[in-house]
Amino acid sequence: MRAFGFLSFGHYAAVPGSATRDAGDMLRQTVEIAEGADELGVNGAYVRVHHFARQAASPIPLLTAMAARTKRIEVGTGVIDMRYENPLYFAEEAAALDYLADGRVALGVSRGSPETALRGYEAFGYTGSADPRGADIARDHFARFIEAISGETVVDSDPQVGPAGRLAIEPRSPGLRDRIWWGAGSIDTAEWTGRQGLNLMSSTLLTEATGEPLDVLQARQIERFRTAYREAGHTGAPRVSVSRSVFPIVTERDEMYFGLRDRNSQDQIGIIDGFRSTFGKTYADSPDRLIEALQQDAAVQAADTLMLTIPNQLGPEYNLHVLESFAKHVAPALGWKPNTEGPVQGDKI
């Protein structure tokens, strides 16, 4: 691990104890957390994307605001559900964002997690899937998106308006393709990601349940990704991230929120999207014990970036306290380099 960022699910609800009462609160507070994190030297600010739910749903305006109010921090998603996206419009938006962010973009995409709506992507106009989960639509949309941001022509020109030929989308941002990540929930998908020459984003769960700890499964996933990347003939330095819930306990409030409940947390086995899956534990302990535990986490050690899931409904002040505590007391012992030292680099394959 050389870098860390925060990953916000963007929850909002008018319930007791929530500092994030509505969507406006959530959006403004996410920008505020990104600003504070940028000053702390945190490397990344990432948001989840879910539809038909009281969570962050339209990432490009939010990421644009975050980029405009920060200087060094990477802004991105984890992940955009490609079942719901118009690939050519998304390509235009992504390129515009990349220009405004001066290349500080890390767009995580995939088929996405299960949504609250049944085949919700059909309500967005994307029908005809032969897969009950819409994976074929997601892959088709993604292929079209990659063609567009890579500058391939996608439509015939109108000879009554200009020269005959084929047209590509505009704008196009050089290097944007190198900043696209695929959110892989399984080892097989990680291998596919490597063959595509993308960056790998691994979450706090895997749709594998062998009885082995999550970090062991994810380390194997990362190894298979890098092997597939190399065997496909790619020669770059792809990025790899993993997500964890980590809370340094340095105050009485930390102890109240997370110490009693999560100090002895363990990985769990459950069902998601019909698959028996391994869900990662919460790391909540004193800084010295967190350092020891994360140094033994095989996936954290194999990745270049650690995404810390944050309890955004506790408000910007507390979430920035969590990030500052991690930056001050834990991250340096793991090899962290703050954003003042430049953009994060992947491992050369």
Side-chain angles (χ1 to χ4, degrees), residues 263-288:
R263 194 183 292 271
N264 297 312
S265 174
Q266 299 294 322
D267 291 348
Q268 301 292 321
I269 303 296
I271 303 295
I272 186 169
D273 211 15
F275 293 98
R276 194 163 180 265
S277 306
T278 304
F279 296 77
K281 62 187 178 183
T282 295
Y283 288 87
D285 217 322
S286 60
D288 57 334

mmCIF file of all heavy atoms in Angstrom, residues 263-288:
data_model
loop_
_atom_site.group_PDB
_atom_site.id
_atom_site.type_symbol
_atom_site.label_atom_id
_atom_site.label_comp_id
_atom_site.label_asym_id
_atom_site.label_seq_id
_atom_site.Cartn_x
_atom_site.Cartn_y
_atom_site.Cartn_z
ATOM 1 N N ARG A 263 -14.470 -4.106 17.531
ATOM 2 C CA ARG A 263 -13.076 -4.402 17.865
ATOM 3 C C ARG A 263 -12.726 -5.859 17.569
ATOM 4 O O ARG A 263 -11.596 -6.166 17.193
ATOM 5 C CB ARG A 263 -12.793 -4.071 19.328
ATOM 6 C CG ARG A 263 -11.319 -4.022 19.673
ATOM 7 C CD ARG A 263 -11.125 -3.772 21.155
ATOM 8 N NE ARG A 263 -11.533 -2.437 21.577
ATOM 9 C CZ ARG A 263 -10.726 -1.382 21.577
ATOM 10 N NH1 ARG A 263 -9.477 -1.494 21.164
ATOM 11 N NH2 ARG A 263 -11.159 -0.208 21.996
ATOM 12 N N ASN A 264 -13.676 -6.768 17.722
ATOM 13 C CA ASN A 264 -13.423 -8.188 17.478
ATOM 14 C C ASN A 264 -14.171 -8.697 16.245
ATOM 15 O O ASN A 264 -14.533 -9.873 16.158
ATOM 16 C CB ASN A 264 -13.814 -9.004 18.711
ATOM 17 C CG ASN A 264 -12.986 -8.642 19.926
ATOM 18 O OD1 ASN A 264 -11.760 -8.569 19.842
ATOM 19 N ND2 ASN A 264 -13.646 -8.393 21.052
ATOM 20 N N SER A 265 -14.380 -7.819 15.282
ATOM 21 C CA SER A 265 -15.094 -8.186 14.056
ATOM 22 C C SER A 265 -14.342 -9.269 13.282
ATOM 23 O O SER A 265 -13.109 -9.335 13.294
ATOM 24 C CB SER A 265 -15.261 -6.944 13.178
ATOM 25 O OG SER A 265 -15.816 -7.269 11.933
ATOM 26 N N GLN A 266 -15.114 -10.116 12.590
ATOM 27 C CA GLN A 266 -14.542 -11.192 11.785
ATOM 28 C C GLN A 266 -15.182 -11.188 10.401
ATOM 29 O O GLN A 266 -16.276 -10.647 10.204
ATOM 30 C CB GLN A 266 -14.787 -12.556 12.452
ATOM 31 C CG GLN A 266 -14.163 -12.709 13.830
ATOM 32 C CD GLN A 266 -12.643 -12.689 13.795
ATOM 33 O OE1 GLN A 266 -12.032 -13.229 12.874
ATOM 34 N NE2 GLN A 266 -12.029 -12.060 14.796
ATOM 35 N N ASP A 267 -14.499 -11.800 9.414
ATOM 36 C CA ASP A 267 -15.105 -11.991 8.107
ATOM 37 C C ASP A 267 -16.411 -12.776 8.255
ATOM 38 O O ASP A 267 -16.543 -13.598 9.165
ATOM 39 C CB ASP A 267 -14.173 -12.763 7.173
ATOM 40 C CG ASP A 267 -12.937 -11.971 6.768
ATOM 41 O OD1 ASP A 267 -12.905 -10.753 7.019
ATOM 42 O OD2 ASP A 267 -12.007 -12.571 6.194
ATOM 43 N N GLN A 268 -17.332 -12.531 7.328
ATOM 44 C CA GLN A 268 -18.624 -13.211 7.357
ATOM 45 C C GLN A 268 -18.904 -13.872 6.013
ATOM 46 O O GLN A 268 -18.422 -13.409 4.971
ATOM 47 C CB GLN A 268 -19.748 -12.220 7.676
ATOM 48 C CG GLN A 268 -19.598 -11.490 9.004
ATOM 49 C CD GLN A 268 -19.760 -12.400 10.189
ATOM 50 O OE1 GLN A 268 -20.605 -13.298 10.184
ATOM 51 N NE2 GLN A 268 -18.944 -12.200 11.228
ATOM 52 N N ILE A 269 -19.693 -14.946 6.047
ATOM 53 C CA ILE A 269 -20.160 -15.604 4.835
ATOM 54 C C ILE A 269 -21.639 -15.276 4.669
ATOM 55 O O ILE A 269 -22.420 -15.370 5.624
ATOM 56 C CB ILE A 269 -19.970 -17.136 4.901
ATOM 57 C CG1 ILE A 269 -18.506 -17.486 5.144
ATOM 58 C CG2 ILE A 269 -20.478 -17.794 3.613
ATOM 59 C CD1 ILE A 269 -17.570 -17.066 4.040
ATOM 60 N N GLY A 270 -22.027 -14.873 3.466
ATOM 61 C CA GLY A 270 -23.424 -14.551 3.204
ATOM 62 C C GLY A 270 -23.745 -14.721 1.733
ATOM 63 O O GLY A 270 -22.908 -15.188 0.945
ATOM 64 N N ILE A 271 -24.943 -14.349 1.359
ATOM 65 C CA ILE A 271 -25.396 -14.459 -0.025
ATOM 66 C C ILE A 271 -25.611 -13.064 -0.586
ATOM 67 O O ILE A 271 -26.284 -12.234 0.036
ATOM 68 C CB ILE A 271 -26.714 -15.255 -0.123
ATOM 69 C CG1 ILE A 271 -26.554 -16.650 0.485
ATOM 70 C CG2 ILE A 271 -27.164 -15.352 -1.581
ATOM 71 C CD1 ILE A 271 -25.579 -17.540 -0.240
ATOM 72 N N ILE A 272 -25.020 -12.802 -1.745
ATOM 73 C CA ILE A 272 -25.287 -11.561 -2.463
ATOM 74 C C ILE A 272 -25.446 -11.895 -3.937
ATOM 75 O O ILE A 272 -24.641 -12.650 -4.514
ATOM 76 C CB ILE A 272 -24.168 -10.511 -2.250
ATOM 77 C CG1 ILE A 272 -24.564 -9.187 -2.909
ATOM 78 C CG2 ILE A 272 -22.828 -10.995 -2.769
ATOM 79 C CD1 ILE A 272 -23.665 -8.018 -2.543
ATOM 80 N N ASP A 273 -26.512 -11.383 -4.522
ATOM 81 C CA ASP A 273 -26.779 -11.591 -5.947
ATOM 82 C C ASP A 273 -26.850 -13.083 -6.292
ATOM 83 O O ASP A 273 -26.501 -13.498 -7.404
ATOM 84 C CB ASP A 273 -25.694 -10.904 -6.782
ATOM 85 C CG ASP A 273 -26.232 -10.404 -8.121
ATOM 86 O OD1 ASP A 273 -27.463 -10.331 -8.266
ATOM 87 O OD2 ASP A 273 -25.415 -10.086 -8.998
ATOM 88 N N GLY A 274 -27.254 -13.897 -5.314
ATOM 89 C CA GLY A 274 -27.381 -15.324 -5.545
ATOM 90 C C GLY A 274 -26.114 -16.125 -5.348
ATOM 91 O O GLY A 274 -26.123 -17.351 -5.496
ATOM 92 N N PHE A 275 -25.014 -15.454 -4.988
ATOM 93 C CA PHE A 275 -23.726 -16.137 -4.818
ATOM 94 C C PHE A 275 -23.342 -16.194 -3.344
ATOM 95 O O PHE A 275 -23.505 -15.215 -2.611
ATOM 96 C CB PHE A 275 -22.616 -15.409 -5.591
ATOM 97 C CG PHE A 275 -22.777 -15.473 -7.087
ATOM 98 C CD1 PHE A 275 -23.363 -14.406 -7.772
ATOM 99 C CD2 PHE A 275 -22.338 -16.572 -7.800
ATOM 100 C CE1 PHE A 275 -23.508 -14.449 -9.139
ATOM 101 C CE2 PHE A 275 -22.481 -16.615 -9.173
ATOM 102 C CZ PHE A 275 -23.071 -15.563 -9.850
ATOM 103 N N ARG A 276 -22.816 -17.328 -2.925
ATOM 104 C CA ARG A 276 -22.260 -17.436 -1.585
ATOM 105 C C ARG A 276 -20.951 -16.645 -1.570
ATOM 106 O O ARG A 276 -20.050 -16.898 -2.370
ATOM 107 C CB ARG A 276 -22.017 -18.909 -1.250
ATOM 108 C CG ARG A 276 -21.745 -19.179 0.229
ATOM 109 C CD ARG A 276 -21.926 -20.661 0.539
ATOM 110 N NE ARG A 276 -21.667 -20.942 1.946
ATOM 111 C CZ ARG A 276 -20.504 -21.364 2.422
ATOM 112 N NH1 ARG A 276 -19.498 -21.575 1.590
ATOM 113 N NH2 ARG A 276 -20.341 -21.585 3.707
ATOM 114 N N SER A 277 -20.857 -15.688 -0.666
ATOM 115 C CA SER A 277 -19.788 -14.688 -0.736
ATOM 116 C C SER A 277 -19.114 -14.505 0.614
ATOM 117 O O SER A 277 -19.678 -14.817 1.666
ATOM 118 C CB SER A 277 -20.353 -13.348 -1.209
ATOM 119 O OG SER A 277 -21.050 -13.495 -2.439
ATOM 120 N N THR A 278 -17.887 -13.949 0.555
ATOM 121 C CA THR A 278 -17.122 -13.627 1.755
ATOM 122 C C THR A 278 -17.111 -12.111 1.938
ATOM 123 O O THR A 278 -16.695 -11.377 1.038
ATOM 124 C CB THR A 278 -15.681 -14.150 1.645
ATOM 125 O OG1 THR A 278 -15.703 -15.553 1.382
ATOM 126 C CG2 THR A 278 -14.919 -13.888 2.938
ATOM 127 N N PHE A 279 -17.569 -11.664 3.096
ATOM 128 C CA PHE A 279 -17.649 -10.241 3.415
ATOM 129 C C PHE A 279 -16.553 -9.891 4.422
ATOM 130 O O PHE A 279 -16.365 -10.589 5.414
ATOM 131 C CB PHE A 279 -19.014 -9.891 4.010
ATOM 132 C CG PHE A 279 -20.171 -10.100 3.066
ATOM 133 C CD1 PHE A 279 -20.657 -11.374 2.813
ATOM 134 C CD2 PHE A 279 -20.757 -9.026 2.427
ATOM 135 C CE1 PHE A 279 -21.729 -11.576 1.944
ATOM 136 C CE2 PHE A 279 -21.823 -9.211 1.557
ATOM 137 C CZ PHE A 279 -22.310 -10.496 1.311
ATOM 138 N N GLY A 280 -15.856 -8.810 4.164
ATOM 139 C CA GLY A 280 -14.730 -8.429 5.003
ATOM 140 C C GLY A 280 -15.151 -7.875 6.352
ATOM 141 O O GLY A 280 -16.215 -7.293 6.513
ATOM 142 N N LYS A 281 -14.275 -8.039 7.309
ATOM 143 C CA LYS A 281 -14.515 -7.550 8.655
ATOM 144 C C LYS A 281 -14.217 -6.060 8.753
ATOM 145 O O LYS A 281 -13.597 -5.465 7.864
ATOM 146 C CB LYS A 281 -13.621 -8.306 9.644
ATOM 147 C CG LYS A 281 -12.126 -8.111 9.381
ATOM 148 C CD LYS A 281 -11.305 -9.004 10.282
ATOM 149 C CE LYS A 281 -9.802 -8.863 9.989
ATOM 150 N NZ LYS A 281 -8.992 -9.789 10.807
ATOM 151 N N THR A 282 -14.645 -5.463 9.863
ATOM 152 C CA THR A 282 -14.290 -4.087 10.192
ATOM 153 C C THR A 282 -13.035 -4.094 11.056
ATOM 154 O O THR A 282 -12.929 -4.878 11.997
ATOM 155 C CB THR A 282 -15.435 -3.404 10.948
ATOM 156 O OG1 THR A 282 -16.570 -3.305 10.083
ATOM 157 C CG2 THR A 282 -15.034 -2.015 11.421
ATOM 158 N N TYR A 283 -12.083 -3.221 10.706
ATOM 159 C CA TYR A 283 -10.882 -3.038 11.514
ATOM 160 C C TYR A 283 -11.114 -1.835 12.424
ATOM 161 O O TYR A 283 -11.155 -0.694 11.955
ATOM 162 C CB TYR A 283 -9.666 -2.770 10.637
ATOM 163 C CG TYR A 283 -9.146 -3.954 9.844
ATOM 164 C CD1 TYR A 283 -9.665 -4.268 8.593
ATOM 165 C CD2 TYR A 283 -8.119 -4.743 10.353
ATOM 166 C CE1 TYR A 283 -9.170 -5.333 7.868
ATOM 167 C CE2 TYR A 283 -7.613 -5.819 9.623
ATOM 168 C CZ TYR A 283 -8.150 -6.108 8.388
ATOM 169 O OH TYR A 283 -7.665 -7.178 7.675
ATOM 170 N N ALA A 284 -11.273 -2.069 13.707
ATOM 171 C CA ALA A 284 -11.447 -0.980 14.675
ATOM 172 C C ALA A 284 -10.618 -1.315 15.904
ATOM 173 O O ALA A 284 -10.910 -2.273 16.616
ATOM 174 C CB ALA A 284 -12.918 -0.823 15.042
ATOM 175 N N ASP A 285 -9.553 -0.512 16.144
ATOM 176 C CA ASP A 285 -8.667 -0.814 17.267
ATOM 177 C C ASP A 285 -7.703 0.352 17.461
ATOM 178 O O ASP A 285 -7.751 1.341 16.719
ATOM 179 C CB ASP A 285 -7.899 -2.113 17.013
ATOM 180 C CG ASP A 285 -7.722 -2.937 18.282
ATOM 181 O OD1 ASP A 285 -7.500 -2.322 19.347
ATOM 182 O OD2 ASP A 285 -7.801 -4.178 18.211
ATOM 183 N N SER A 286 -6.835 0.212 18.402
ATOM 184 C CA SER A 286 -5.800 1.214 18.621
ATOM 185 C C SER A 286 -4.869 1.245 17.412
ATOM 186 O O SER A 286 -4.735 0.244 16.695
ATOM 187 C CB SER A 286 -5.010 0.887 19.882
ATOM 188 O OG SER A 286 -4.397 -0.392 19.754
ATOM 189 N N PRO A 287 -4.208 2.376 17.153
ATOM 190 C CA PRO A 287 -3.360 2.466 15.962
ATOM 191 C C PRO A 287 -2.290 1.384 15.865
ATOM 192 O O PRO A 287 -2.068 0.830 14.775
ATOM 193 C CB PRO A 287 -2.737 3.859 16.083
ATOM 194 C CG PRO A 287 -3.770 4.659 16.805
ATOM 195 C CD PRO A 287 -4.359 3.701 17.806
ATOM 196 N N ASP A 288 -1.625 1.045 16.978
ATOM 197 C CA ASP A 288 -0.568 0.052 16.890
ATOM 198 C C ASP A 288 -1.114 -1.312 16.504
ATOM 199 O O ASP A 288 -0.500 -2.054 15.720
ATOM 200 C CB ASP A 288 0.211 -0.025 18.212
ATOM 201 C CG ASP A 288 -0.678 -0.337 19.404
ATOM 202 O OD1 ASP A 288 -1.886 -0.010 19.347
ATOM 203 O OD2 ASP A 288 -0.164 -0.895 20.395
#
